[in-house]
Short mmCIF file of all heavy atoms in Angstrom, two decimals:
data_model
loop_
_atom_site.label_atom_id
_atom_site.label_comp_id
_atom_site.label_asym_id
_atom_site.label_seq_id
_atom_site.Cartn_x
_atom_site.Cartn_y
_atom_site.Cartn_z
N ALA Z 36 6.25 29.34 -3.28
CA ALA Z 36 6.94 28.04 -3.25
C ALA Z 36 7.17 27.53 -4.67
O ALA Z 36 8.16 26.86 -4.96
CB ALA Z 36 6.12 27.03 -2.44
N ARG Z 37 6.24 27.86 -5.53
CA ARG Z 37 6.37 27.44 -6.92
C ARG Z 37 7.56 28.14 -7.57
O ARG Z 37 8.32 27.55 -8.34
CB ARG Z 37 5.08 27.75 -7.68
CG ARG Z 37 5.18 27.73 -9.19
CD ARG Z 37 5.28 26.31 -9.76
NE ARG Z 37 5.90 26.29 -11.07
CZ ARG Z 37 5.24 26.36 -12.21
NH1 ARG Z 37 3.94 26.43 -12.20
NH2 ARG Z 37 5.87 26.35 -13.35
N LEU Z 38 7.72 29.43 -7.24
CA LEU Z 38 8.84 30.18 -7.82
C LEU Z 38 10.17 29.59 -7.35
O LEU Z 38 11.11 29.47 -8.12
CB LEU Z 38 8.75 31.66 -7.43
CG LEU Z 38 7.51 32.39 -7.97
CD1 LEU Z 38 7.49 33.83 -7.48
CD2 LEU Z 38 7.50 32.35 -9.50
N VAL Z 39 10.21 29.21 -6.09
CA VAL Z 39 11.42 28.59 -5.55
C VAL Z 39 11.69 27.28 -6.29
O VAL Z 39 12.81 27.00 -6.72
CB VAL Z 39 11.28 28.33 -4.04
CG1 VAL Z 39 12.44 27.48 -3.52
CG2 VAL Z 39 11.21 29.65 -3.28
N PHE Z 40 10.63 26.50 -6.45
CA PHE Z 40 10.77 25.23 -7.15
C PHE Z 40 11.30 25.45 -8.56
O PHE Z 40 12.23 24.78 -9.01
CB PHE Z 40 9.42 24.51 -7.20
CG PHE Z 40 9.43 23.26 -8.04
CD1 PHE Z 40 9.77 22.04 -7.47
CD2 PHE Z 40 9.13 23.31 -9.39
CE1 PHE Z 40 9.82 20.89 -8.24
CE2 PHE Z 40 9.18 22.16 -10.18
CZ PHE Z 40 9.51 20.95 -9.60
N ASP Z 41 10.70 26.40 -9.26
CA ASP Z 41 11.10 26.67 -10.65
C ASP Z 41 12.60 26.95 -10.75
O ASP Z 41 13.29 26.39 -11.58
CB ASP Z 41 10.35 27.90 -11.19
CG ASP Z 41 8.88 27.60 -11.44
OD1 ASP Z 41 8.50 26.42 -11.38
OD2 ASP Z 41 8.12 28.56 -11.70
N GLU Z 42 13.04 27.86 -9.88
CA GLU Z 42 14.45 28.26 -9.96
C GLU Z 42 15.38 27.10 -9.64
O GLU Z 42 16.39 26.90 -10.28
CB GLU Z 42 14.72 29.46 -9.04
CG GLU Z 42 14.05 30.75 -9.51
CD GLU Z 42 14.20 31.00 -11.01
OE1 GLU Z 42 15.33 30.90 -11.53
OE2 GLU Z 42 13.18 31.28 -11.67
N GLN Z 43 14.98 26.33 -8.62
CA GLN Z 43 15.84 25.20 -8.24
C GLN Z 43 15.87 24.15 -9.35
O GLN Z 43 16.92 23.59 -9.66
CB GLN Z 43 15.35 24.58 -6.94
CG GLN Z 43 15.63 25.48 -5.74
CD GLN Z 43 15.12 24.89 -4.43
OE1 GLN Z 43 14.31 23.95 -4.46
NE2 GLN Z 43 15.58 25.41 -3.32
N ALA Z 44 14.71 23.90 -9.94
CA ALA Z 44 14.65 22.88 -10.99
C ALA Z 44 15.46 23.33 -12.21
O ALA Z 44 16.21 22.54 -12.79
CB ALA Z 44 13.19 22.61 -11.38
N LEU Z 45 15.33 24.59 -12.57
CA LEU Z 45 16.06 25.09 -13.74
C LEU Z 45 17.56 25.11 -13.48
O LEU Z 45 18.36 24.88 -14.38
CB LEU Z 45 15.55 26.49 -14.13
CG LEU Z 45 14.15 26.50 -14.77
CD1 LEU Z 45 13.62 27.93 -14.86
CD2 LEU Z 45 14.15 25.83 -16.13
N ALA Z 46 17.92 25.37 -12.22
CA ALA Z 46 19.35 25.40 -11.89
C ALA Z 46 19.99 24.02 -12.01
O ALA Z 46 21.20 23.89 -12.11
CB ALA Z 46 19.54 25.95 -10.47
N LEU Z 47 19.15 22.99 -12.00
CA LEU Z 47 19.68 21.63 -12.10
C LEU Z 47 19.72 21.13 -13.55
O LEU Z 47 20.01 19.96 -13.80
CB LEU Z 47 18.82 20.67 -11.25
CG LEU Z 47 19.01 20.81 -9.74
CD1 LEU Z 47 17.93 20.05 -8.98
CD2 LEU Z 47 20.39 20.28 -9.33
N ALA Z 48 19.46 22.03 -14.49
CA ALA Z 48 19.38 21.62 -15.89
C ALA Z 48 20.65 20.91 -16.37
O ALA Z 48 20.58 19.93 -17.11
CB ALA Z 48 19.06 22.82 -16.78
N ASP Z 49 21.81 21.40 -15.94
CA ASP Z 49 23.07 20.76 -16.38
C ASP Z 49 23.16 19.33 -15.87
O ASP Z 49 23.55 18.42 -16.59
CB ASP Z 49 24.28 21.55 -15.88
CG ASP Z 49 24.47 22.87 -16.65
OD1 ASP Z 49 24.08 22.92 -17.83
OD2 ASP Z 49 25.00 23.82 -16.07
N ASP Z 50 22.80 19.15 -14.61
CA ASP Z 50 22.87 17.81 -14.00
C ASP Z 50 21.89 16.85 -14.67
O ASP Z 50 22.22 15.70 -14.95
CB ASP Z 50 22.53 17.88 -12.50
CG ASP Z 50 23.64 18.57 -11.71
OD1 ASP Z 50 24.66 18.94 -12.32
OD2 ASP Z 50 23.47 18.73 -10.49
N VAL Z 51 20.69 17.33 -14.90
CA VAL Z 51 19.67 16.47 -15.51
C VAL Z 51 20.05 16.17 -16.96
O VAL Z 51 19.89 15.05 -17.44
CB VAL Z 51 18.27 17.13 -15.43
CG1 VAL Z 51 17.21 16.23 -16.05
CG2 VAL Z 51 17.90 17.42 -13.98
N TRP Z 52 20.59 17.16 -17.62
CA TRP Z 52 21.02 16.98 -19.01
C TRP Z 52 22.07 15.88 -19.14
O TRP Z 52 22.03 15.04 -20.02
CB TRP Z 52 21.56 18.29 -19.57
CG TRP Z 52 22.26 18.15 -20.89
CD1 TRP Z 52 23.61 18.17 -21.11
CD2 TRP Z 52 21.66 17.94 -22.18
NE1 TRP Z 52 23.88 17.99 -22.44
CE2 TRP Z 52 22.70 17.84 -23.13
CE3 TRP Z 52 20.33 17.82 -22.61
CZ2 TRP Z 52 22.46 17.64 -24.49
CZ3 TRP Z 52 20.09 17.61 -23.98
CH2 TRP Z 52 21.15 17.52 -24.89
N ARG Z 53 23.04 15.91 -18.22
CA ARG Z 53 24.13 14.92 -18.25
C ARG Z 53 23.55 13.51 -18.26
O ARG Z 53 24.03 12.62 -18.95
CB ARG Z 53 25.02 15.13 -17.04
CG ARG Z 53 26.44 14.75 -17.25
CD ARG Z 53 27.38 15.38 -16.23
NE ARG Z 53 26.92 15.21 -14.87
CZ ARG Z 53 26.86 16.20 -13.98
NH1 ARG Z 53 27.24 17.41 -14.30
NH2 ARG Z 53 26.43 15.99 -12.76
#
Side-chain angles (χ1 to χ4, degrees):
Chain Z
R37 164 74 203 269
L38 296 178
V39 171
F40 173 89
D41 288 350
E42 292 315 311
Q43 289 179 345
L45 288 169
L47 288 168
D49 287 331
D50 290 357
V51 180
W52 168 256
R53 209 161 49 228

